[in-house]
Amino acid sequence: MSAPSSSSLETLNPEIPKEENKEGEEEEQVINPWEVSAKGGKIDYDKLVDKFGCQRLDEALIQRFERLTGKRAHVFLRRGLFFAHRDLNDILDAYEMGEKFYLYTGRGPSSESLHLGHLIPFMFTKYLQEVFKVPLVIQLTDDEKCMWKGLSIEESERLARENAKDIIACGFDIQKTFIFPDFSYMCPPMYKNMVRIANCVTGNKIVGIFGLTLEDYGGKWFFPYIQAAPSFPSTFPHLFSEKYKNLRCLIPCAIDQDPYFRMTRDVAPRLGYNKPALIESKFFPALQGESGKMSASDANSAIYVTDSLKEIKNKVNKYAFSGGQDSIEKHRKYGANLEVDVPVKYLNFFLDDDDELEHIKKEYGAGRMLTGDVKGRLIEVLSEIVERHQRARKSVTEEMVDAFMAVRPLPHLFD
């Protein structure tokens, strides 16, 4: 099948928005897999949903989750961290009719240690795996970091294994989970899917979606096909036999990964596959305020899973942006601005007790609770999460990493 022209791709797929601006016109916000920026620092998620053409994840859909799984919705769903989707209703319709699906998520291993923002998709994916009882593939894009970060192949491979230990520490079921670094897994079925995808996408479309130029190295142009291929079950013949050739895929990811899968969804029907469905999250704010994603280059912008309790306390007290007033007198009178208060935002996602959270918001917003009290509670909550993760991480051995990465059948795919 020959590749279509750029104009025919746009006709085939209205869900791919036009990314280009008029000459001289500056975008208010830029969101793609490699850049997150916005005027004023705050992401307008409503505009982003409209621009990307995805759908809002509403209360009715959350209630449907609970009805189908018989479990309470994850706190990330209940409180809107995961806020948008593509074809999630189709996945749930199929599930309700007894059809199966698999999960696909990933991590680009560019640093030794993960911060809490990195853990969010894995914490949520673990919930999805447990409540739907489905298999999961986790891609470690060690090749991407050579192309985009200038890391050596050897360093990228090392970081992939280190990051895998943090992922395994999240508690995934080894009988339902396959973790694969691109460098070590690349196999004929995966490569064939990459070529099939590449033959359906023009260079103009890559420029329109990802903003690449002729100054970018060739690897950057080809990488989108590598991230797209795991959306199709035939990429994993050791997991999914021929009877699963039409198996649907659900991808939990941050909203900045959407461009990859807009491209993937465009080509899927032409290749005889179902379009992958997506459930997408907002960016977890930096300690200094809501200015997009945390920065791995600024250790004080995030809580890392390697941080000591002393470091967590210091970071929260010193760097977590407060919406409280600048004096106790004014705070008692006017209360805190909860819209900008980072400790409240963090508690919104990590404090599971709904009643306690509402109490904190009410008392802090009214000025009856002080900033120090709210930061103190956040320190307790984060310390517990990080301590628990560190204990789990210590128990992950090299042999366990090898076992999760072994190319093998999963004996209990849908049990």
Side-chain angles (χ1 to χ4, degrees), residues 143-246:
D143 49 349
E144 177 199 17
K145 297 311 171 185
C146 293
M147 300 169 190
W148 286 93
K149 297 288 188 181
L151 300 179
S152 68
I153 290 176
E154 293 74 19
E155 178 65 1
S156 293
E157 289 181 310
R158 185 187 72 81
L159 291 176
R161 287 188 67 87
E162 289 304 307
N163 285 189
K165 294 172 185 176
D166 281 306
I167 293 168
I168 293 167
C170 292
F172 290 107
D173 184 351
I174 193 170
Q175 297 190 16
K176 292 182 182 293
T177 306
F178 174 52
I179 300 176
F180 64 102
D182 286 338
F183 278 133
S184 61
Y185 179 67
M186 189 65 66
C187 58
M190 183 174 181
Y191 185 65
K192 288 176 182 178
N193 274 337
M194 288 160 48
V195 171
R196 292 182 183 115
I197 296 164
N199 279 341
C200 293
V201 183
T202 66
N204 282 339
K205 186 52 62 179
I206 290 291
V207 171
I209 297 173
F210 299 102
L212 298 179
T213 72
L214 293 179
E215 298 300 314
D216 288 302
Y217 290 114
K220 295 181 180 181
W221 286 76
F222 197 71
F223 179 75
Y225 314 128
I226 300 174
Q227 183 150 325
S231 306
F232 304 143
S234 62
T235 296
F236 308 101
H238 63 288
L239 300 180
F240 307 122
S241 62
E242 182 66 16
K243 73 175 182 177
Y244 292 119
K245 65 181 180 180
N246 294 319

Side-chain angles (χ1 to χ4, degrees), residues 145-372:
K145 297 311 171 185
C146 293
M147 300 169 190
W148 286 93
K149 297 288 188 181
L151 300 179
S152 68
I153 290 176
E154 293 74 19
E155 178 65 1
S156 293
E157 289 181 310
R158 185 187 72 81
L159 291 176
R161 287 188 67 87
E162 289 304 307
N163 285 189
K165 294 172 185 176
D166 281 306
I167 293 168
I168 293 167
C170 292
F172 290 107
D173 184 351
I174 193 170
Q175 297 190 16
K176 292 182 182 293
T177 306
F178 174 52
I179 300 176
F180 64 102
D182 286 338
F183 278 133
S184 61
Y185 179 67
M186 189 65 66
C187 58
M190 183 174 181
Y191 185 65
K192 288 176 182 178
N193 274 337
M194 288 160 48
V195 171
R196 292 182 183 115
I197 296 164
N199 279 341
C200 293
V201 183
T202 66
N204 282 339
K205 186 52 62 179
I206 290 291
V207 171
I209 297 173
F210 299 102
L212 298 179
T213 72
L214 293 179
E215 298 300 314
D216 288 302
Y217 290 114
K220 295 181 180 181
W221 286 76
F222 197 71
F223 179 75
Y225 314 128
I226 300 174
Q227 183 150 325
S231 306
F232 304 143
S234 62
T235 296
F236 308 101
H238 63 288
L239 300 180
F240 307 122
S241 62
E242 182 66 16
K243 73 175 182 177
Y244 292 119
K245 65 181 180 180
N246 294 319
L247 191 67
R248 294 177 183 270
C249 176
L250 175 60
I251 304 170
C253 61
I255 190 71
D256 62 338
Q257 300 299 298
D258 188 88
Y260 285 121
F261 301 113
R262 293 204 305 271
M263 179 197 74
T264 309
R265 286 167 55 82
D266 174 55
V267 305
R270 303 187 61 210
L271 300 178
Y273 296 116
N274 286 310
K275 293 182 178 183
L278 280 77
I279 183 165
E280 300 175 315
S281 72
K282 298 177 181 178
F283 304 118
F284 196 65
L287 286 169
Q288 288 85 348
E290 195 167 3
S291 56
K293 295 197 293 187
M294 296 175 177
S295 172
S297 62
D298 181 3
N300 292 320
S301 71
I303 302 296
Y304 283 80
V305 296
T306 53
D307 283 347
S308 67
L309 301 188
K310 182 178 179 180
E311 287 172 323
I312 294 171
K313 182 177 181 179
N314 179 65
K315 286 183 178 182
V316 171
N317 283 331
K318 189 173 181 179
Y319 298 108
F321 186 82
S322 171
Q325 304 299 328
D326 55 12
S327 71
I328 293 179
E329 182 181 33
K330 287 175 67 177
H331 185 81
R332 296 295 191 196
K333 183 176 181 179
Y334 299 112
N337 180 352
L338 303 185
E339 290 298 313
V340 301
D341 192 271
V342 168
V344 167
K345 290 179 183 294
Y346 276 37
L347 287 172
N348 195 52
F349 297 121
F350 290 122
L351 180 60
D352 194 57
D353 189 320
D354 291 337
D355 291 337
E356 183 183 359
L357 179 65
E358 287 309 307
H359 173 77
I360 289 172
K361 288 182 176 179
K362 180 180 178 181
E363 295 298 301
Y364 190 38
R368 291 185 291 271
M369 182 177 282
L370 300 177
T371 297

Side-chain angles (χ1 to χ4, degrees), residues 10-77:
E10 289 165 359
T11 303
L12 278 168
N13 187 29
E15 80 176 22
I16 293 187
K18 292 178 182 291
E19 300 283 338
E20 301 86 352
N21 288 324
K22 295 178 182 178
E23 189 173 351
E25 189 176 292
E26 186 180 356
E27 282 189 287
E28 291 187 359
Q29 55 185 21
V30 177
I31 310 294
N32 61 46
W34 311 290
E35 181 181 0
V36 175
S37 63
K39 286 183 178 179
K42 185 173 182 179
I43 305 298
D44 187 327
Y45 289 102
D46 289 327
K47 286 186 178 179
L48 195 56
V49 166
D50 291 340
K51 178 181 178 180
F52 282 1
C54 43
Q55 298 83 45
R56 274 280 182 179
L57 207 161
D58 59 19
E59 184 61 32
L61 203 46
I62 295 172
Q63 290 177 2
R64 192 177 185 203
F65 255 84
E66 295 186 332
R67 179 171 60 81
L68 289 177
T69 64
K71 304 284 187 180
R72 193 181 189 200
H74 195 283
V75 66
F76 293 166
L77 271 181

